[in-house]
Amino acid sequence: LYRALFGESPQLIDEELGKARPKIDVAFLGESVVEAMDGRWLGKHIIGSSKQKQQQQQGKKNLPMINETFEKLFRKDKGGELEGVALGIAGGGAYY
């Protein structure tokens, strides 16, 4: 699939990073919440909400960002037992 989309072998990513990509143990498919698990919202990196920044200024404890929790649980290089990938697209709409 990668080769069909980009015309190159995915091993080029490994060479660029200087290490092999880990094998995926679990994949999450979905929409906005799953996209946020990857640290993105509508394709842009999540930095944090204005509410979180306000709470930090007031010295209140913030809940962790969903992407930080995902990395802790599903990134082996960050201490997780499983290697996961979050494949989500915000705004897609789920119909039940």
Side-chain angles (χ1 to χ4, degrees), residues 9-12 15 23 27 34-35 49 59 62 64 71 80 83 88 90-91:
S9 169
Q11 283 73 27
L12 290 176
E15 292 171 11
K23 294 185 181 197
V34 177
E35 184 180 20
S49 69
N62 290 325
E71 286 183 351
E83 187 66 31

Side-chain angles (χ1 to χ4, degrees), residues 8-80:
E8 299 291 340
S9 169
Q11 283 73 27
L12 290 176
I13 296 170
D14 297 344
E15 292 171 11
E16 186 69 28
L17 293 175
K19 63 179 183 178
R21 292 164 292 122
K23 294 185 181 197
I24 303 298
D25 298 311
V26 62
F28 296 88
L29 304 175
E31 48 186 285
S32 59
V33 172
V34 177
E35 184 180 20
M37 290 163 61
D38 190 38
R40 298 178 184 273
W41 183 259
L42 295 172
K44 297 178 183 172
H45 286 285
I46 298 172
I47 299 171
S49 69
S50 58
K51 184 175 181 179
Q52 282 185 313
K53 291 175 186 173
Q54 183 182 25
Q55 287 176 338
Q56 280 180 335
Q57 291 170 349
Q58 295 173 352
K60 295 180 181 177
K61 185 178 179 183
N62 290 325
L63 294 174
M65 297 285 289
I66 190 170
N67 61 311
E68 293 168 357
T69 302
F70 181 82
E71 286 183 351
K72 182 179 174 183
L73 297 172
F74 297 105
R75 295 275 193 261
K76 289 183 179 177
D77 63 343
K78 306 247 174 146

